[in-house]
C-alpha cells in the first residue's frame, strides 16, 4: 500500500475512476488537494472559475452533455453553499455530478467554535440537493469514499452526490488501499408486469407514449423508436427528454401536444419521466385508460398518480424487453395520420403566436450545425425553446428542468463546451440571468472555451415586469435592470463582442462567431415579449382535474 496524503489519495482515486476534468476554486482548506492535482496535470485538467456556482454549473453541463461524471471542488461553508444552485439544477435534471468539498479540521467538526468557513451540519445541509453524501475522517478512508460516491452516481437514478474531506485529512500521510471501480447494479423489470404491459400495448387502438430524461440517461433512444414505430404511437417528449426521439421523426411531439392526444388514448406508456404536465401537476387520465409507468426510481411510480401497471426498471432494458414481447400481441391499427396532423397544427399555432421569440429561436437553429449543442436559459426564448426548438439527437439540448434556475445557462454551457471541444455550442441568456455569472467570461478566455453566448437584452426581468404590468395594474417595482454595453463588456475580457438587431442578423452573427472559434457574446436588444406561459395552458377542465389529482396524491 502506498503512503500518500489525503489530497494525493483523493486525486489518485479520481484518476482511477476515469476523471479527466475538475472544475474548482481553491482555498486554504483545499491546498493539499490542489497540490496533488498539480502533480497530475497531465491526467486531470483543472478549470478554475471565478465563483463557486460556476464550478457546479460547469460540472453539470459537462456531465449531461457527455454522459460522464462531472466533478467540482469547492471550499466548505460559503463555497459549498455557493455551489448549491448548480447542485439543485443537477438534482432536478438527474445529472451525474460529484461535488467535493473541504471541511474544517476533524477536531472542530460539530463544535461550532467559529473555524474558518464552518457551517452547522454541513453534511446534512447538502443532503437537500444530493442523492447521497459522505465524509472521510481519516486518510485511509478516502479511496473507499470516492469509490462509494461513484457507485452512487452510476447506480439507480443518477443525481449529484457530495463528499467532504477535512483539511487535516487532506494533509496527513498514511498507507492507503485503492479499490477497483464499483460495478453499477442493473435494475431489471418484473417479467410478469412487462408481459402485462406488452399485452396492453399490443391490443391497444390508440397508444400514447410519454418519455423523459431517463431515456437519454439509459441510452434507450433506439429501443424507444423501435417500440413507437411498432405501435404507431405518438411520443410526447418532456424538456429533460428532448432528443430522445428526433424532432424530424413523424411520431415525435412536444409536451404541449399531450393536451390533444391524451383524452383519446386508450393505453398510456410513461418511461423515464415524472409524467407531469409542463408544471408540477399530473396528467389526468380516465378510468378506462390503462396507464403503464416504467421508472428506475420506485418513488416516482405513485408520486403523481397510481398506474395500472407499475414497473421499476432501467428504461433501456425494459423497452428492449417490450420490443421483444409486443409482437406476440400486436394488432393492426387504423391510420392515425389525421389525429397526428391535428395535434401538430395546434402545436404550430401555439408556437407561431410567440412571434418574434419564435423567429429568434429559429435563427439560432438555422445557424447551429446538425451536431451542435444548444443550452437554454430561464428567458423568453428559452421558454419557447423547451417546446419549439427542433432537437435531433440526445444530449444536444440542455435545460434547467423543473428547477428553473435563473442564471444557470452561461456557466452550464461553459462546462458543455469543455466536455465537447469539437462540437459547436450555443447558449442563450436574458440580460438578467447572464449577469448572475457574467464574470465567467474570464474563465472562457483564460481556458479558450469557445462558447457562443446570445444575450437577449430587454432591460428587465422580463417575466416579472410583464406580471407586474398586466396583473398588478402597472405597479412596476424591482424589475428594471441597469446593464452594461454587453459588446464592450465581452471585449473587456478579451472575448468577441457582437450585436444583432433582427433574427436574420442573429443567424449571420452566430454563424460567424462559430467559425471564429473564440469565446463570443452576441447582444440582441429586445422590446416587451409575448407571454410564454400561454403555450403551456391546458384546457380548463384538464387543469381542474389535474389540480384535484395533485391534492389527492
Amino acid at each position: 500500500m502506498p503512503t500518500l496524503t489525503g489530497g494525493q489519495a483523493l486525486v489518485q482515486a479520481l484518476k482511477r475512476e476515469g476523471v479527466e476534468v475538475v472544475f474548482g476554486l481553491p482555498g486554504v482548506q483545499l491546498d493539499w488537494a490542489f497540490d496533488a492535482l498539480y502533480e497530475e496535470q497531465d491526467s486531470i485538467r483543472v478549470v478554475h472559475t471565478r465563483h463557486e456556482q460556476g464550478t457546479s454549473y460547469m460540472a453539470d453541463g459537462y456531465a449531461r452533455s457527455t454522459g460522464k461524471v462531472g466533478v467540482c471542488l469547492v471550499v466548505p461553508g460559503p463555497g459549498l453553499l455557493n455551489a448549491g444552485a448548480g447542485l439543485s439544477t443537477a438534482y432536478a435534471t438527474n445529472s451525474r455530478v460529484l461535488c467535493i468539498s473541504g471541511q474544517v479540521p476533524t477536531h472542530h467538526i460539530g463544535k461550532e467554535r467559529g473555524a474558518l468557513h464552518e457551517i452547522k451540519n454541513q453534511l446534512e445541509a447538502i443532503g437537500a440537493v444530493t442523492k447521497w453524501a459522505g465524509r472521510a475522517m481519516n486518510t485511509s478512508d478516502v479511496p473507499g469514499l470516492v469509490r462509494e460516491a461513484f457507485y452512487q452516481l452510476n447506480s439507480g437514478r443518477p443525481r449529484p452526490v457530495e463528499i467532504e474531506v477535512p483539511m487535516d485529512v487532506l494533509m496527513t500521510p498514511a498507507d492507503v488501499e485503492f479499490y477497483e471501480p464499483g460495478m453499477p447494479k442493473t435494475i431489471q423489470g418484473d417479467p410478469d408486469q412487462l408481459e402485462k404491459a406488452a399485452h396492453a400495448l399490443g391490443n391497444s387502438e390508440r397508444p400514447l407514449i410519454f418519455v423523459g430524461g431517463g431515456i437519454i440517461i439509459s441510452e434507450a433512444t433506439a429501443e424507444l423508436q423501435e417500440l413507437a414505430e411498432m405501435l404507431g404511437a405518438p411520443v410526447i417528449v418532456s424538456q429533460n427528454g428532448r432528443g430522445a426521439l428526433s424532432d424530424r421523426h413523424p411520431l415525435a411531439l412536444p409536451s404541449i401536444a399531450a393536451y390533444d392526444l391524451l383524452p383519446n388514448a386508450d393505453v398510456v406508456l410513461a418511461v423515464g419521466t415524472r409524467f407531469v404536465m409542463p408544471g408540477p401537476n399530473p396528467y389526468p387520465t380516465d378510468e378506462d385508460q390503462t396507464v403503464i409507468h416504467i421508472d428506475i426510481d420506485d418513488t416516482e411510480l405513485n408520486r403523481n398518480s397510481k398506474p395500472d401497471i407499475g414497473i421499476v426498471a432501467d428504461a433501456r432494458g425494459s423497452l428492449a424487453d417490450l420490443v421483444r414481447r409486443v409482437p406476440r400481441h400486436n394488432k393492426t391499427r387504423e391510420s392515425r395520420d389525421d389525429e397526428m396532423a391535428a395535434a401538430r397544427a395546434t402545436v404550430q399555432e401555439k408556437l407561431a403566436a410567440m412571434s418574434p421569440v419564435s423567429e429568434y429561436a429559429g435563427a439560432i437553429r438555422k445557424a447551429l450545425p446538425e451536431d451542435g449543442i444548444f443550452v437554454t436559459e430561464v428567458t423568453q426564448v428559452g421558454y419557447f425553446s423547451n417546446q419549439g426548438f427542433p432537437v435531433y439527437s440526445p444530449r444536444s439540448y440542455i435545460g434547467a428542468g423543473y428547477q428553473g434556475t435563473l442564471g444557470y445557462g452561461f456557466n452550464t454551457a461553459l462546462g458543455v463546451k469543455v466536455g465537447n471541444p469539437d462540437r459547436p455550442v450555443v447558449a442563450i441568456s436574458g440580460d438578467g440571468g447572464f449577469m448572475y455569472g457574467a464574470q465567467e467570461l474570464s474563465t472562457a478566455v483564460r481556458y479558450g472555451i469557445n462558447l457562443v453566448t446570445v444575450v437577449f437584452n430587454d432591460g428587465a426581468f422580463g417575466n416579472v415586469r410583464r406580471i407586474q404590468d398586466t396583473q398588478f395594474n402597472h405597479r412596476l417595482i424591482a424589475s428594471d435592470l441597469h446593464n452594461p454595453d454587453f459588446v464592450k463588456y465581452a471585449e473587456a475580457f478579451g472575448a468577441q463582442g457582437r450585436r444583432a438587431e433582427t433574427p436574420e442578423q442573429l443567424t449571420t452573427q452566430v454563424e460567424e462567431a462559430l467559425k471564429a472559434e473564440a469565446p463570443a457574446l452576441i447582444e440582441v436588444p429586445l422590446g416587451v415579449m409575448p407571454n410564454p406561459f400561454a403555450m403551456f395552458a391546458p384546457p380548463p377542465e384538464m387543469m381542474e382535474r389535474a389540480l384535484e389529482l395533485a391534492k389527492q396524491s
Side-chain angles (χ1 to χ4, degrees):
M1 293 190 293
T3 300
L4 302 172
T5 65
Q8 291 170 323
L10 173 65
V11 172
Q12 291 304 314
L14 294 176
K15 183 177 176 181
R16 286 170 177 262
E17 294 286 353
V19 172
E20 298 172 346
V21 181
V22 170
F23 301 94
L25 209 161
V28 65
Q29 292 92 348
L30 298 175
D31 285 346
W32 290 80
F34 273 89
D35 187 66
L37 285 167
Y38 179 90
E39 297 174 346
E40 291 292 344
Q41 291 181 81
D42 292 339
S43 301
I44 299 178
R45 181 186 182 191
V46 175
V47 175
H48 73 269
T49 66
R50 301 301 297 270
H51 191 287
E52 285 93 356
Q53 71 174 357
T55 68
S56 54
Y57 281 134
M58 292 181 203
D60 177 30
Y62 179 93
R64 281 197 276 156
S65 62
T66 65
K68 303 175 183 178
V69 173
V71 180
C72 58
L73 177 60
V74 295
V75 297
L80 182 59
L81 294 177
N82 281 341
L87 293 178
S88 71
T89 306
Y91 188 88
T93 56
N94 307 298
S95 182
R96 292 187 174 99
V97 171
L98 169 61
C99 179
I100 304 170
S101 167
Q103 179 55 286
V104 301
T106 53
H107 58 278
H108 286 311
I109 295 175
K111 303 295 177 57
E112 298 187 50
R113 290 170 173 150
L116 181 65
H117 295 345
E118 179 185 19
I119 60 171
K120 184 179 179 181
N121 300 328
Q122 175 174 290
L123 200 63
E124 292 79 3
I126 204 62
V129 289
T130 55
K131 171 184 177 180
W132 174 89
R135 176 191 297 150
M137 291 297 285
N138 299 284
T139 299
S140 58
D141 295 337
V142 172
L145 185 67
V146 172
R147 183 180 188 271
E148 179 63 23
F150 275 82
Y151 180 80
Q152 293 287 339
L153 286 163
N154 293 315
S155 297
R157 181 180 191 165
R159 274 176 158 168
V161 304
E162 188 259 359
I163 59 175
E164 57 183 46
V165 187
M167 61 185 300
D168 56 323
V169 173
L170 287 172
M171 68 175 63
T172 301
D175 293 340
V176 295
E177 181 179 359
F178 291 98
Y179 308 93
E180 291 299 317
M183 295 299 295
K185 182 175 66 174
T186 301
I187 300 178
Q188 297 179 336
D190 179 271
D192 292 338
Q193 293 295 93
L194 285 165
E195 183 61 25
K196 288 181 181 179
H199 182 272
L201 289 166
N203 283 277
S204 62
E205 296 283 351
R206 296 174 305 282
L208 180 61
I209 300 174
F210 288 79
V211 297
I215 299 293
I216 294 173
I217 291 167
S218 64
E219 300 181 348
T221 54
E223 290 79 5
L224 169 65
Q225 181 172 329
E226 187 173 359
L227 180 63
E229 291 173 349
M230 183 183 296
L231 297 167
V235 178
I236 304 297
V237 183
S238 76
Q239 179 192 151
N240 280 352
R242 299 298 308 279
L245 188 65
S246 170
D247 281 328
R248 289 197 177 99
H249 197 285
L251 294 174
L253 289 164
S255 55
I256 54 176
Y259 304 148
D260 288 339
L261 293 173
L262 180 61
N264 296 320
D266 57 349
V267 177
V268 177
L269 171 65
V271 186
T273 173
R274 295 180 182 87
F275 190 40
V276 292
M277 294 193 291
N281 297 309
Y283 284 105
T285 54
D286 294 327
E287 291 183 1
D288 59 352
Q289 290 177 315
T290 299
V291 177
I292 306 161
H293 196 171
I294 301 173
D295 202 281
I296 201 166
D297 184 351
D298 62 343
T299 66
E300 290 296 343
L301 297 186
N302 295 292
R303 188 184 304 282
N304 295 297
S305 58
K306 185 174 176 59
D308 299 286
I309 303 171
I311 302 171
V312 180
D314 170 75
R316 184 177 185 181
S318 58
L319 286 175
D321 202 323
L322 289 175
V323 166
R324 291 191 296 270
R325 293 174 184 269
V326 165
R328 298 199 296 267
H329 310 284
N330 212 15
K331 62 190 294 183
T332 302
R333 296 173 182 82
E334 294 182 1
S335 171
R336 302 177 68 183
D337 291 347
D338 291 345
E339 182 186 15
M340 289 286 292
R344 285 192 185 282
T346 301
V347 168
Q348 291 306 314
E349 182 181 347
K350 289 182 177 181
L351 296 179
M354 287 296 295
S355 177
V357 174
S358 55
E359 285 88 348
Y360 279 110
I364 296 172
R365 178 69 274 184
K366 183 178 179 181
L368 185 63
E370 184 81 8
D371 65 337
I373 303 175
F374 183 61
V375 184
T376 68
E377 242 289 1
V378 184
T379 189
Q380 312 307 306
V381 179
Y383 285 119
F384 171 88
S385 297
N386 288 336
Q387 302 290 328
F389 190 91
V391 182
Y392 306 130
S393 60
R395 302 193 186 280
S396 62
Y397 186 91
I398 307 296
Y402 70 77
Q403 197 60 230
T405 331
L406 182 62
Y408 86 95
F410 173 54
N411 287 348
T412 301
L414 289 171
V416 170
K417 186 61 178 177
V418 169
N420 302 268
D422 298 325
R423 295 177 65 182
V425 181
V426 173
I428 62 170
S429 289
D431 48 336
F434 178 72
M435 292 300 289
Y436 274 47
Q439 71 279 350
E440 300 304 341
L441 274 170
S442 169
T443 306
V445 174
R446 165 70 177 79
Y447 289 100
I449 305 172
N450 299 330
L451 169 70
V452 175
T453 302
V454 180
V455 177
F456 293 99
N457 181 6
D458 63 357
F461 291 122
N463 284 328
V464 176
R465 181 177 62 183
R466 183 182 54 256
I467 291 170
Q468 291 175 348
D469 190 39
T470 60
Q471 298 183 32
F472 291 87
N473 196 29
H474 316 294
R475 293 161 63 88
L476 305 182
I477 181 171
S479 57
D480 62 311
L481 299 174
H482 177 70
N483 292 320
D485 181 320
F486 284 108
V487 172
K488 293 180 179 178
Y489 184 88
E491 292 173 345
F493 281 97
Q496 291 188 359
R498 298 169 176 266
R499 183 173 285 112
E501 297 187 357
T502 66
E504 294 75 20
Q505 290 179 11
L506 180 57
T507 295
T508 300
Q509 291 289 1
V510 171
E511 289 175 341
E512 292 180 356
L514 289 172
K515 290 177 184 177
E517 296 188 351
L521 184 155
I522 305 169
E523 180 187 8
V524 181
L526 291 177
V528 177
M529 293 290 101
N531 181 3
F533 303 109
M535 287 191 304
F536 307 132
E541 62 276 9
M542 182 179 283
M543 189 65 204
E544 184 178 341
R545 290 185 56 215
L547 288 171
E548 290 177 3
L549 280 174
K551 292 175 182 177
Q552 293 170 8
S553 57

